[in-house]
Amino acid sequence: MPGFHALQQMTELLLAETVPDDGHVLVLGAGGGLELKVFAEAHPQWRLVGVDPSAEMLKLAEATLGPLATRVELFEGYIDTAPLGPFDGATCLLTLHFLPSDERLHTLREIRRRLKPGAPLIVAHHSVPQAQEQRLRWLHRYAAFAAASGVPMVDAANAVAAINSRLPMLSPEQDAALLEEAGFERVELFYAGFTFKGWVARNPV
């Protein structure tokens, strides 16, 4: 992913604009715990909740966190498994592109229901034009970036083919509209790297 580590750092900085020193942050799609570790290291008093459907990934997250794991609660499941909070902020990185639009809307609404008034949500995932020619052009650019970064070209091409056929990706316009339909406001694009886009949005006050 172009700028993967920078994306995590930007996400932490966007959260820190409003999350207090002793804030409570929800990380949906916690995966192997990389962003949890970034947040925990940067903010020693933040309390973190990580949610992921994979038990194996949560074990990896625990290992990644090491001694920081004492400040993190991990839950196996999806958004309906997450505590109700309320949270001072939330993230959902590299996750929503796996969900069709109806499930995505449900997930976004349930995240918002768990946020305090004015709290931020940061999301980032594949988001490409829906016209097939434009979609393929951007996916091929992503494959070229992966190959230039050391991934064998055949593997990059296979990954792009799988992404194009299996992921229910939306366009950037559709993604922003879905955040607004879920009730978020002040939806702002903060990240764009080939097929990946990222937004910060706010729960209304």
Side-chain angles (χ1 to χ4, degrees):
M1 176 182 178
F4 176 67
H5 298 295
L7 172 65
Q8 294 178 332
Q9 185 178 21
M10 286 187 281
T11 299
E12 177 268 313
L13 291 170
L14 288 168
L15 287 172
E17 288 179 350
T18 53
V19 174
D21 290 342
D22 60 349
H24 199 194
V25 175
L26 171 65
V27 176
L28 184 65
L34 293 176
E35 62 259 41
L36 285 168
K37 185 176 182 181
V38 169
F39 302 161
E41 287 178 338
H43 300 276
Q45 296 182 61
W46 278 9
R47 293 168 295 133
L48 301 165
V49 170
V51 181
D52 197 274
S54 169
E56 289 302 312
M57 293 303 288
L58 290 176
K59 288 179 184 176
L60 178 58
E62 199 166 2
T64 298
L65 288 162
L68 297 169
T70 57
R71 292 171 40 215
V72 181
E73 288 185 274
L74 297 174
F75 294 85
E76 183 181 347
Y78 299 90
I79 184 59
D80 296 319
T81 309
L84 293 177
F87 293 93
D88 296 290
T91 68
C92 189
L93 303 183
L94 310 183
T95 297
L96 290 177
H97 52 219
F98 293 109
L99 303 179
S101 57
D102 57 340
E103 291 181 33
R104 206 179 295 201
L105 180 59
H106 169 75
T107 297
L108 290 171
R109 283 174 169 162
E110 287 301 309
I111 292 174
R112 192 175 76 80
R113 194 165 70 90
R114 289 163 168 77
L115 291 176
K116 293 179 181 178
L121 167 66
I122 292 97
V123 301
H125 46 265
H126 285 293
S127 183
V128 294
Q130 293 302 287
Q132 186 70 356
E133 182 181 347
Q134 291 179 291
R135 180 187 181 110
L136 287 174
R137 181 164 66 246
W138 280 107
L139 286 169
H140 289 151
R141 287 168 173 165
Y142 168 55
F145 176 85
S149 303
V151 176
M153 190 61 205
V154 64
D155 293 340
N158 288 339
V160 160
I163 289 168
N164 188 44
S165 63
R166 297 177 189 172
L167 293 190
M169 295 181 290
L170 301 181
S171 71
E173 295 79 12
Q174 289 171 321
D175 270 311
L178 211 60
L179 283 162
E180 292 176 347
E181 187 178 350
F184 288 96
E185 61 183 21
R186 294 163 55 194
V187 177
E188 299 176 285
L189 182 75
F190 77 93
Y191 172 84
F194 287 130
T195 59
F196 293 94
K197 306 291 184 296
W199 292 266
V200 56
R202 303 280 173 181
N203 194 20
V205 175

